Amino acid sequence: MKRPRLQRILQTLSLGTFLGFLGFLSFRAAQGITPDVFLWLDPLGAAGAMLAARAVIPALLAGLAIIATGLFVGRFFCGHICPMGATLDLAQGALHIKRKKGAEPGPGARRIKYGLLAACLGSSALGVSLLYWLAPMPLATRFWGLVVLPVVRLGLDSGLGALRPLARALDWRALSFAVVPVPRFATMLFVALLFAGLFALARSAPRFWCRCLCPAGALLALFSGRPAWRRSVSPDCTGCGACIRTCPMGAIPEDPGATRFRECIACLRCVRVCPENAVDFRLLPRSAGAESFLPARREFLAAGLSGAGMAALALTGLDSPALKEGVAGTIVDPDRVRPPGALPEGDFLARCLRCGECMAACPTNTLQPAWLQAGVWGMFSPVAEARRGACDPDCAECGRVCPTGAVRPLPLSEKMWAKMGTAHVLRQKCLAWEWGKPCLVCKEVCPYGAIEMRRVDSSPVTVPFVLGNRCTGCGACESRCPVQAASAIQVEPMGALRLAEGSFEKAGRGMGLDIRRAVQTIRPTHGPAEGASPFDPAPGAPAGAAAPFDAAPQGPAPASFDPAPEAPSQSSPFDPPSK
């Protein structure tokens, strides 16, 4: 019976813990624990985020400590702890990806990771973060949290659905009504395809990502030139080459007695396969080094300047993160509504790793990864899409789980004042304003009493007005508006309150805000009658009057104008979104 390998044991424990944290986070069972501990350990995330933010982020000092471990154990972290490496190994084994004969990345390909490292640090030096494309821990978190876990939850929900007839027959009521909410995220397909490409690169070489592309691995390699605990080969070596063929990193050159220490991840496979037991890892042995694929100084500087150049383009572009809202000439996408407690935009983008933990933790599926709402440099950062779900006033998980403080952790009493934006009514779509229908949904679901119904001469029913000083931009009104397609009341980042420090309540009161939880019922009891179309004729209208959208008197009413699925129901706007 083969002994379990130390690497596999540690990788299993590491990946299992990583996924356990994500699972707890996804099911809101992570109260009292720190689910983002793996993100703290990312060497590139730590160095790049602190450099871009120009601040010491205490939690990320753990990542700097990981860099220092390179002096003692080389790239042990890459081979045993990193969830990204474990994911690649797991995919290669599970998918039976075989290496293509004769394929081997050349020295030029292996230097790419150093160029990417220099580019990341160069852009971070100017305050623009490119880490979200390349830092391994945020990438792994995004893949598992936003792509795999929703699929797992869908499978669990489907399984419950299959068991439901049996549960009803046996009168197991808890099981009969159990459901597993399935979150849905934008950019899922893109992330899935990105990882499919990384898995396919294993055809060229095992751990192609770690060998050639990972800038975090390059950062560790810079400190792993000759680690204290390293590979040693005794004179008993016969030069059979078994270790060379087995090494997943290509860290052993043609002479098996030498080692490329900057490439070695200390997986110990060379120790296990040696028929002469001539290979060992120990402290300060006499061992020979070999070519380490370090780029020339000029190449490294050129890559760093390229990153700085991209940062300069970002800072001078129309969607520059350095531009501030409210300043003349600044254009802000109306869909760029940030989570409550988000730092001012420039600081937010500098710190945000785009790991997706806030999105995975959001119980109402409100937070989504952005495409271009914040420009190219804000891709994958979290934005609130209220039409998908409203921000729960009794939840502040996004700030609690953020590993870098890009979203400030706030108590609920303070989070209430972290105004995300302001709702406004699109009168041409509103049932009350445009069609004279009695609808109070937005007023009744608003947890802050920011909607006021008033009488106006142009409508036979009361119509909604938004009280801007009471609106927090939570989006309860937008998420439950019964009209189809875009809501008739929408939240924009206008008036958003974003502070790097200090009290939101104090700043909000200084701005004239009057935010308070309303004593109200969030379950709508008015509005269009159940089962009736919101486009039915108004009360008091002549009998037989056509609905405003009827296509032709002689034809059937078009199905596209039936009430939307999210029409007023007996559910809370803070329930998980419907599937």
Side-chain angles (χ1 to χ4, degrees):
M1 179 178 175
K2 290 184 178 180
R3 289 187 303 171
R5 292 154 44 183
L6 173 65
Q7 185 199 22
R8 286 289 180 255
I9 294 173
L10 293 181
Q11 279 189 310
T12 302
L13 289 175
S14 174
L15 187 58
T17 307
F18 173 77
L19 296 180
F21 280 156
L22 269 181
F24 286 139
L25 193 72
S26 177
F27 286 96
R28 295 197 75 183
Q31 303 290 336
I33 62 174
T34 52
D36 47 0
V37 62
F38 279 89
L39 290 161
W40 298 348
L41 300 179
D42 191 303
L44 180 65
M50 286 196 276
L51 186 60
R54 293 166 173 73
V56 175
I57 303 174
L60 297 187
L61 292 177
L64 299 187
I66 293 296
I67 298 174
T69 63
L71 297 170
F72 305 99
V73 293
R75 293 176 63 180
F76 184 90
F77 177 82
C78 302
H80 297 76
I81 309 297
C82 179
M84 184 72 171
T87 299
L88 296 173
D89 286 348
L90 177 65
Q92 185 172 2
L95 301 177
H96 301 287
I97 301 174
K98 301 295 183 184
R99 184 176 183 177
K100 193 175 179 181
K101 286 186 179 180
E104 180 69 27
R110 289 181 180 235
R111 293 192 187 102
I112 292 176
K113 59 180 179 287
Y114 294 103
L116 295 175
L117 170 65
C120 283
L121 296 181
S123 66
S124 294
L126 291 187
V128 177
S129 175
L130 295 177
L131 304 176
Y132 57 95
W133 285 110
L134 298 164
M137 232 62 76
L139 280 175
T141 307
R142 218 182 303 160
F143 172 68
W144 286 104
L146 304 188
V147 177
V148 178
L149 278 182
V151 174
V152 171
R153 294 177 67 136
L154 178 64
L156 291 175
D157 192 52
S158 300
L160 287 175
L163 291 175
R164 197 159 292 134
L166 176 63
R168 286 174 180 164
L170 299 176
D171 198 23
W172 293 346
R173 297 189 177 182
L175 187 58
S176 299
F177 295 100
V179 293
V180 179
V182 182
R184 284 162 169 77
F185 298 102
T187 75
M188 287 176 65
L189 181 60
F190 176 83
V191 176
L193 291 175
L194 174 66
F195 271 78
L198 293 179
F199 297 156
L201 286 174
R203 288 271 294 162
S204 174
R207 286 204 171 212
F208 186 94
W209 162 264
C210 307
R211 287 190 188 201
C212 303
L213 301 178
C214 181
L219 186 55
L220 270 175
L222 291 178
F223 289 80
S224 307
R226 199 169 180 81
W229 185 68
R230 58 180 182 263
R231 181 173 178 266
S232 171
V233 182
S234 75
D236 295 335
C237 174
T238 60
C240 67
C243 55
I244 299 174
R245 295 188 293 275
T246 306
C247 180
M249 293 291 288
I252 304 174
E254 292 183 0
D255 174 11
T259 308
R260 298 175 178 128
F261 294 116
R262 296 187 195 277
E263 300 293 309
C264 177
I265 58 173
C267 64
L268 308 183
R269 293 188 188 183
C270 53
V271 177
R272 288 191 300 274
V273 301
C274 180
E276 307 296 335
N277 294 323
V279 182
D280 196 5
F281 274 73
R282 49 198 172 95
L283 284 174
L284 304 176
R286 290 184 179 179
S287 50
E291 178 191 7
S292 55
F293 308 114
L294 279 177
R297 186 181 304 173
R298 184 175 299 178
E299 295 174 344
F300 195 79
L301 287 176
L305 289 175
S306 299
M310 286 191 283
L313 289 176
L315 295 172
T316 54
L318 192 58
D319 55 359
S320 167
L323 295 176
K324 296 180 180 178
E325 293 183 31
V327 177
T330 300
I331 297 175
V332 177
D333 191 300
D335 293 330
R336 200 201 67 189
V337 179
R338 294 301 189 188
L343 297 179
E345 188 67 8
D347 296 336
F348 175 78
L349 291 180
R351 287 188 179 229
C352 180
L353 296 176
R354 281 71 151 177
C355 59
E357 287 229 342
C358 56
M359 305 170 209
C362 181
T364 53
N365 206 195
T366 304
L367 295 183
Q368 297 287 324
W371 273 118
L372 296 173
Q373 294 96 320
V376 175
W377 315 104
M379 287 179 70
F380 310 119
S381 58
V383 291
E385 292 193 3
R387 195 56 166 161
R388 180 67 192 152
C391 179
D392 189 341
D394 294 322
C395 172
E397 283 292 284
C398 51
R400 192 183 74 82
V401 303
C402 180
T404 62
V407 181
R408 290 175 58 185
L410 299 173
L412 291 177
S413 58
E414 187 73 4
K415 177 232 174 183
M416 182 174 70
W417 289 86
K419 185 178 171 74
M420 302 162 63
T422 307
H424 68 283
V425 179
L426 301 180
R427 296 183 179 182
Q428 73 276 14
K429 293 203 69 176
C430 178
L431 299 180
W433 273 103
E434 184 68 15
W435 312 115
K437 309 296 178 188
C439 179
L440 303 172
V441 174
C442 54
K443 172 181 170 53
E444 295 215 332
V445 299
C446 179
Y448 300 99
I451 307 291
E452 188 173 84
M453 304 302 293
R454 301 175 187 169
R455 290 207 171 273
V456 296
D457 294 338
S458 59
S459 177
V461 299
T462 55
V463 295
F465 284 83
V466 177
L467 305 178
N469 65 332
R470 300 196 63 176
C471 177
T472 68
C474 71
C477 52
E478 183 176 342
S479 70
R480 290 296 170 179
C481 178
V483 302
Q484 290 183 322
S487 171
I489 183 168
Q490 298 180 3
V491 176
E492 290 187 352
M494 182 180 66
L497 180 56
R498 300 172 66 174
L499 301 176
E501 57 184 10
S503 167
F504 280 92
E505 180 177 357
K506 185 177 180 180
R509 291 190 185 281
M511 292 168 55
L513 300 182
D514 181 23
I515 297 174
R516 66 186 77 169
R517 291 290 293 271
V519 180
Q520 47 83 49
T521 302
I522 57 177
R523 301 176 188 280
T525 57
H526 301 287
E530 187 173 356
S533 166
F535 299 104
D536 284 346
F549 286 122
D550 281 349
Q554 68 277 16
S560 58
F561 300 122
D562 286 346
E566 59 273 27
S569 64
Q570 296 303 309
S571 61
S572 162
F574 307 110
D575 287 342
S578 57
K579 292 178 272 186

